[in-house]
Amino acid sequence: PFRLKTAYAPPELASLSCTMSVPLIVEVHGEALRRLSLAAGRHFVGLRQAAHHCRDEVDASTLRRLRVVDSAFALLRHITQASCDTLLADVDLCAKKVEAKRRAKQRHDVDPYDSWTAA
């Protein structure tokens, strides 16, 4: 059975796990959407809409998992190389500001009369 779990893994395994998760999300999203559409006899835009339509016949845990898969799938559809490049450029700008603030605080915290902290 399909289950969503939070897993903690070493960084090298976490990257592999994320890489493997993408096709799993795409596959389970499509399969669940097809099965619910077939059962309901109608087309749904996404799993969230299908889950809402079937909410009286589906338990709360399954509804939540369908919504999570739908959200993950929606996120995957909108991630592009350009959006990743833009995000990392924005992170670099923020990181420079954080580093500058940290260095300024370190300079401010040094007591010139304290032989232990003076450089």
Side-chain angles (χ1 to χ4, degrees), residues 70-84:
D70 193 54
S71 295
F73 182 76
L75 178 67
L76 290 174
R77 276 192 346 242
H78 292 94
I79 293 179
T80 63
Q81 186 62 53
S83 68
C84 290

Side-chain angles (χ1 to χ4, degrees), residues 33-109:
L33 189 56
R34 281 187 292 277
R35 289 180 186 191
L36 290 174
S37 292
L38 183 63
R42 59 170 287 193
H43 170 77
F44 297 110
V45 175
L47 277 181
R48 189 173 299 271
Q49 183 187 28
H52 181 75
H53 179 81
C54 303
R55 68 188 177 280
D56 295 333
E57 290 78 24
V58 180
D59 63 277
S61 174
T62 303
L63 284 173
R64 181 185 56 78
R65 290 183 295 161
L66 288 170
R67 290 181 187 127
V68 168
V69 169
D70 193 54
S71 295
F73 182 76
L75 178 67
L76 290 174
R77 276 192 346 242
H78 292 94
I79 293 179
T80 63
Q81 186 62 53
S83 68
C84 290
D85 292 345
T86 300
L87 174 63
L88 290 177
D90 292 344
V91 168
D92 286 342
L93 288 174
C94 293
K96 286 179 183 178
K97 291 177 184 177
V98 168
E99 183 180 8
K101 187 176 182 179
R102 178 182 54 83
R103 289 179 185 231
K105 183 175 180 352
Q106 284 176 338
R107 284 193 302 272
H108 182 267
D109 288 346

Side-chain angles (χ1 to χ4, degrees), residues 11 22 25 27 35 55:
V22 171
I25 291 168
E27 182 181 340
R35 289 180 186 191
R55 68 188 177 280

